[in-house]
Each structure stands twice: as C-alpha cells, then as structure tokens.
Amino acid sequence: MSGAQNPTVEAVVEAEKVEPSYVAGHPVLDFVNTVAWRADESRRVDRVADAAEWARWAARAGLSASSLPDETTLRGLREALAVVLDALVDGTAPPSGAWDMLRDAFLAAREAAELPPAFPLRPVPATVSGELALLAEELLGDARELSCLHRCAGPGCGWFFLDRTRNGARRWCSSGDCGNRDRARRHYARTRKAAQ
C-alpha cells in the first residue's frame, strides 16, 4: 500500500502531548494554559501529566517555590482559575464554587507562606500551588493587567493571554499556532470560493 497511513489515536495523543507553552505573558495564565484545547472536549489534552512534569513546568515558568503539593491541589486550582478567568473575559459573575475555591486557595497560601524580616515585605510561598495562588491574587487585583486579559480567538483553543501590544489588537495565543490556523482556514475558504 502506498502513501501515508492514517495515524493511530495514540500517535495523535502523543503528538499533542508536547511541552507546555509560555506565551500568555503571566505565569498564572501559562498555568491555566497547561490544558490544550480547553474549549474543545474532543481535543482537550493535559500537557502536565505527573509530579515530575509539574516540577519542570514550575522551573521553566520561573516559580521559586521548591515544594510541590499533590497534583489534585494543582489541578483544582487550575480549574478554578480557568472558570474565573472565563467569567472575567465573558463579563459575567464567576460561579460561586470556583470563586470560593480560589478564595480558600488565597487564604491557605498566605497562611502557609513565610514572612522574612526583609524589605520589600513579600510573603515567600511554601509550595508551587501557594505561589500560583499568590500570583493569581495579585493578577486578579491589578485592574491594568485585567484590562489586557483576553482569550484566544482560535476555535476550541481557550487559552488566555495578556495583550500588551500598543494597539491592543492581539487575537491569538500565538501567531504561529492559532494565528496560522486561522490564516490557513481563510486562505482555504478564499481559494475554494474562487474555484466555484
């Protein structure tokens, strides 16, 4: 049989299981974006599978906490943040369950953090989830940053990013990813229409 064979489901899943991206402009958003195709259940992929991968992700994201909590804590925080960020981008009130979970994470992170006798006075988080909770609290309390918060316009993508461009025209998580897909879709539509 000649020609390329159709890839197996395992090969497709493995292809999707690439390193997480750091394109959002903030570690909390990159954290939420560790789920690829978040808005498309049929393609959804968790790009951080275990504690070792969480440790690598945290180091690459520039987090300083060295102690990892259990994965359930990280995944719960990530999901609560995703729901709250979706509500924020959509201009709706966040669901109370996600909001309560975030509030509890903020309080637990502050309670567990060390407070060194040095200035500027900043709590030192005990765990990666604590550091992410404190960073999320800071992000969600910054009106200027929140005014730059967007969700990728790519169908099914669902990734968040801060648009700090001068004209505020960024639409994609990555121009080379969802942006290229959109350009290819539009090109295909134009050439198909021209051929009719």
Side-chain angles (χ1 to χ4, degrees), residues 41-65:
E41 281 299 321
S42 67
R43 297 170 73 184
R44 189 179 179 130
V45 176
D46 188 337
R47 290 193 169 171
V48 186
D50 57 31
E53 287 185 20
W54 277 117
R56 280 193 298 278
W57 178 87
R60 288 185 179 157
L63 302 184
S64 59

Side-chain angles (χ1 to χ4, degrees), residues 107-188:
L107 294 172
R110 289 203 166 278
E111 186 174 305
E114 294 292 322
L115 197 57
F119 294 100
L121 195 60
R122 294 189 67 84
V124 177
T127 63
V128 168
S129 63
E131 185 169 3
L132 287 163
L134 293 175
L135 288 169
E137 181 181 35
E138 192 175 285
L139 173 66
L140 295 174
D142 187 333
R144 181 199 243 151
E145 290 284 73
L146 291 182
S147 70
C148 299
L149 178 67
H150 296 279
R151 187 175 42 229
C152 181
C157 178
W159 276 8
F160 298 100
F161 60 87
L162 295 178
D163 179 4
R164 295 187 179 113
T165 60
R166 181 173 289 203
N167 63 0
R170 181 176 170 188
R171 297 183 60 209
W172 316 110
C173 59
S174 166
S175 180
D177 194 349
C178 285
N180 277 348
R181 279 191 195 92
D182 180 67
R183 286 186 285 278
R185 254 192 314 273
R186 285 185 284 137
H187 175 73
Y188 175 76

Side-chain angles (χ1 to χ4, degrees), residues 15 25 27 30 32 46 54 71 75 101 104 113 125 181 187 191-192:
D30 286 326
V32 174
D46 188 337
W54 277 117
E71 293 176 57
R75 293 180 200 290
M101 183 173 188
D104 292 346
R181 279 191 195 92
H187 175 73
T191 55
R192 188 169 181 202

Side-chain angles (χ1 to χ4, degrees), residues 40 79 84 103:
D40 182 348
E79 189 55 33
V84 168
R103 185 197 65 223

Side-chain angles (χ1 to χ4, degrees), residues 3-23:
Q5 294 182 352
N6 288 334
T8 64
V9 172
E10 293 81 11
V12 171
V13 168
E14 190 58 37
E16 288 282 336
K17 194 86 171 118
V18 296
E19 280 294 316
S21 297
Y22 302 89
V23 298

Side-chain angles (χ1 to χ4, degrees), residues 56-120:
R56 280 193 298 278
W57 178 87
R60 288 185 179 157
L63 302 184
S64 59
S66 58
S67 176
L68 282 168
D70 67 282
E71 293 176 57
T72 304
T73 303
L74 282 167
R75 293 180 200 290
L77 177 61
R78 183 178 63 184
E79 189 55 33
L81 280 165
V83 169
V84 168
L85 292 169
D86 271 330
L88 186 60
V89 169
D90 293 339
T92 61
S96 60
W99 192 250
D100 291 344
M101 183 173 188
L102 262 191
R103 185 197 65 223
D104 292 346
F106 296 162
L107 294 172
R110 289 203 166 278
E111 186 174 305
E114 294 292 322
L115 197 57
F119 294 100

